[in-house]
Amino acid sequence: MPELPSPAAPVIVSSPRSTPGPGPTKAPRVAAASLVGTTIEYYDFAVYGTASALVLGPAFFPSGNATVSSLAAFLTFAAAFVARPLGVALFGTIGDRLGRRRALVASLLLMGVATVGVGLLPTYETAGLLAPVLLVTLRLLQGVSMGGEWGGAVLLAAEHAPPGRRALYASIPNIGPSLGFLLSSAVILPTLDIAGRDGFTDWAWRIPFLLSAVLVVVGLWVRTTVSESPHFTPQTRARAQEPASTSRFPLGTLLARYPGRLLLGIGAALGGSAVYYLTIVYSLSYGPKELGIPQNTMLTAASVGAAAGMAVTLPAARLADRIGRRPVMLAGAVGCVVWAVPMYASLSSRDPWVITGAYTVGLMLLALMFSPVAAFLPELFPARLRYTGASAAFILANTLGGGFAPLIATWLNSQWESPLVLGFYTGGLCLLSLLCLLALPETRDHEFDA
């Protein structure tokens, strides 16, 4: 069986009239519901990432060596990414066999329970070894949840989109990571100012985690009010549930039939994941601890950059609907390859304006890669495997390119004490993404099959 089916293969068909049409007001409502859920999921992840950089190391992994504590905290951060493939298998099966909406509601509920649980945990000083064990367990549950979130959110929005606007609607949930980070910063920064660094380290770090409960209730209410995907038809459901159907375990079918396309999809999203997590997570720890940059300076620079990237997301997606997914993503990949070293080199200046400017340019270039991928990855796979296929490609890219990025960066900077090493590491991964994009076909004119 071919690993890279041509545009004429059953993966996709070219007639716009083959796509079930959503109601005139349904698509925006579904996209908004997808955005709300993705924002909440990434708020939870951003809160954990920021807390890892600031307090979780000494609170749960006390050590006389600050680097060892940071490595331990970032290792629990990476643990959630290791669990994401399990979430892909679990929620991909639910989404491809029982419905997209059911999978999304379940993933959001699981994330909420795990995040609030982190806010209630005892520290090492109180509970000893039980504290880090519980932390890692809840972190793994967060990872399982995230394994089903992104693919389902962009897929529900994409499958409800009107003709010619799929990239635009699919990109709306992609605002969620930046919005979630901004929301987490909007909670963490005032908490730091009010409680002070000592108070935040002692007890106030729990507040952002506990506030997640309110957001999850809102998100669950929104998601239960939207309709199922028009592409998850009774025929699709029946085909997936036939006893002889290879789609009864979608991940196995995906690996058997489309391994080449899956690997190239992972590679296409790899570099962008590294840029995002090194900027939004790792540098918040690296800047203050290694370079003496004030914590608020790093949070502000990352927040301004995230806001700029968010502003570029929808225009980039609209452009991808007009000229194609690959040209926009290739432009972003080339930009990230070129800008990676200058962006992280800006940290050596210790100048708030220079760092903020460099991060703003970098995260805007990232948006060119990240925005169209929400339509690009689902378009690579047929309806009966689309939830699993899009989720697997994106989540595995996040795991390899983003989940281990803070851990690898911590080790690299222990060997070479220069922020330039971050630029070379990230630029190399972005170059790999560029090559994978060149090997994949354009998908703009390919319509979903039902």
Side-chain angles (χ1 to χ4, degrees):
M1 293 181 183
E3 294 186 359
L4 293 173
S6 69
V11 176
I12 37 188
V13 295
S14 59
S15 171
R17 289 180 290 275
S18 67
T19 302
T25 61
K26 188 179 295 183
R29 185 167 66 247
V30 171
S34 296
L35 172 61
V36 168
T38 306
T39 299
I40 294 169
E41 295 261 4
Y42 275 91
Y43 165 85
D44 293 346
F45 237 61
V47 164
Y48 190 96
T50 304
S52 293
L54 298 179
V55 300
L56 293 187
F60 288 87
F61 306 96
S63 169
N65 188 310
T67 300
V68 172
S69 291
S70 293
L71 278 170
F74 283 134
L75 188 59
T76 64
F77 182 80
F81 288 82
V82 175
R84 283 185 176 193
L86 178 59
V88 170
L90 174 62
F91 292 108
T93 300
I94 295 172
D96 282 329
R97 299 192 66 221
L98 302 178
R100 303 358 181 168
R101 191 178 66 168
R102 290 185 184 183
L104 284 172
V105 170
S107 70
L108 183 59
L109 182 60
L110 179 60
M111 176 62 84
V113 170
T115 303
V116 173
V118 172
L120 297 173
L121 284 181
T123 63
Y124 185 90
E125 183 179 1
T126 303
L129 287 175
L130 180 62
V133 169
L134 291 175
L135 180 64
V136 171
T137 300
L138 291 175
R139 187 65 181 154
L140 291 173
L141 292 179
Q142 281 188 320
V144 171
S145 169
M146 284 297 292
E149 171 59 32
W150 183 88
V154 301
L155 185 54
L156 197 65
E159 290 185 334
H160 277 89
R165 307 188 77 184
R166 188 183 303 132
L168 176 64
Y169 279 84
S171 72
I172 292 174
N174 261 6
I175 297 173
S178 293
L179 193 57
F181 173 75
L182 290 174
L183 188 59
S184 73
S185 296
V187 173
I188 289 172
L189 282 172
T191 305
L192 268 170
D193 287 339
I194 294 171
R197 183 59 187 259
D198 291 340
F200 189 85
T201 302
D202 186 38
W203 61 271
W205 64 269
R206 300 177 183 275
I207 294 174
F209 289 97
L210 298 177
L211 286 178
S212 177
V214 178
L215 299 176
V216 169
V217 170
V218 173
L220 287 173
W221 174 75
V222 171
R223 280 198 168 168
T224 54
T225 62
V226 300
S227 60
E228 183 54 83
S229 166
H231 285 268
F232 191 75
T233 63
Q235 292 81 5
T236 304
R237 182 193 296 254
R239 185 176 180 184
Q241 295 183 351
E242 288 174 359
S245 173
T246 55
S247 293
R248 288 181 64 83
F249 185 55
L251 184 59
T253 306
L254 180 74
L255 294 174
R257 295 192 175 183
Y258 307 110
R261 182 157 288 200
L262 175 61
L263 287 174
L264 289 174
I266 293 168
L270 195 69
S273 297
V275 173
Y276 180 83
Y277 284 102
L278 284 179
T279 305
I280 298 299
V281 176
Y282 176 73
S283 66
L284 299 185
S285 170
Y286 174 74
K289 290 182 179 179
E290 302 298 330
L291 301 175
I293 302 171
Q295 190 72 61
N296 282 2
T297 295
M298 294 305 305
L299 280 169
T300 300
S303 297
V304 171
M310 191 168 60
V312 171
T313 297
L314 295 185
R318 196 70 190 103
L319 185 62
D321 275 328
R322 291 175 179 169
I323 68 172
R325 287 47 163 142
R326 287 174 76 247
V328 179
M329 295 174 68
L330 286 170
V334 170
C336 286
V337 170
V338 172
W339 190 248
V341 171
M343 179 168 67
Y344 294 112
S346 71
L347 296 175
S348 296
S349 73
R350 297 174 175 81
D351 186 301
W353 293 101
V354 172
I355 297 170
T356 300
Y359 274 30
T360 298
V361 173
L363 291 177
M364 290 174 71
L365 291 170
L366 170 62
L368 296 181
M369 295 178 66
F370 191 53
S371 176
V373 81
F376 185 66
L377 293 180
E379 288 167 346
L380 294 174
F381 305 100
R384 69 186 187 281
L385 298 174
R386 193 171 292 141
Y387 197 125
T388 301
S391 295
F394 185 81
I395 292 304
L396 289 173
N398 253 225
T399 300
L400 299 174
F404 291 100
L407 194 64
I408 293 172
T410 300
W411 179 81
L412 287 173
N413 275 299
S414 70
Q415 306 299 310
W416 298 278
E417 296 180 0
S418 169
L420 290 176
V421 72
L422 301 180
F424 289 118
Y425 169 56
T426 308
L429 292 181
C430 290
L431 179 60
L432 178 59
S433 290
L434 175 63
L435 296 175
C436 289
L437 283 169
L438 289 171
L440 284 165
E442 176 56 62
T443 61
R444 178 174 68 98
D445 295 327
H446 299 156
E447 293 296 329
F448 286 3
D449 61 329

